[in-house]
Amino acid sequence: MAKVQLATRVDERIKRAVDLVCASKGLKINRFLEDAILDKLEELEDIEDLKKIRHEPTRSFRAVLKELKLD
């Protein structure tokens, strides 16, 4: 996969915290940040999925058991 550079400005306290965590855990900063960005993207996608299913009709537990022939 091709790599590109991403430049951003963050609070110096956040940068120090990332440096400390990476140093203490033996992690590379690039990998740590890439994983954090991916986690956030997945979280946002999950939130959108939840918004969509929130309005779906629901069934009672009894109805589900009946459908599964477990009632």
Side-chain angles (χ1 to χ4, degrees), residues 57-70:
T58 59
R59 298 179 298 164
S60 69
F61 182 62
R62 178 167 278 158
V64 173
L65 290 177
K66 186 174 181 178
E67 181 182 318
L68 297 172
K69 297 179 173 71
L70 297 172

Side-chain angles (χ1 to χ4, degrees), residues 3-58:
K3 298 284 183 173
V4 297
Q5 186 170 346
L6 179 65
T8 188
R9 294 187 184 277
V10 297
D11 187 290
E12 65 186 44
R13 295 168 295 184
I14 293 172
K15 174 65 166 83
R16 273 198 311 269
V18 169
D19 288 340
L20 289 170
V21 168
C22 288
S24 70
K25 304 285 185 187
L27 303 171
K28 295 192 181 281
I29 292 175
N30 285 344
R31 181 61 188 209
F32 177 85
L33 294 174
E34 189 172 320
D35 287 346
I37 292 168
L38 286 172
D39 286 346
K40 187 63 177 182
L41 290 171
E42 289 174 359
E43 178 184 310
L44 291 171
E45 187 175 312
D46 290 345
I47 288 170
E48 289 304 312
D49 289 343
L50 285 173
K51 287 178 184 176
K52 290 175 191 171
I53 65 173
R54 182 182 301 159
H55 302 292
E56 289 182 359
T58 59

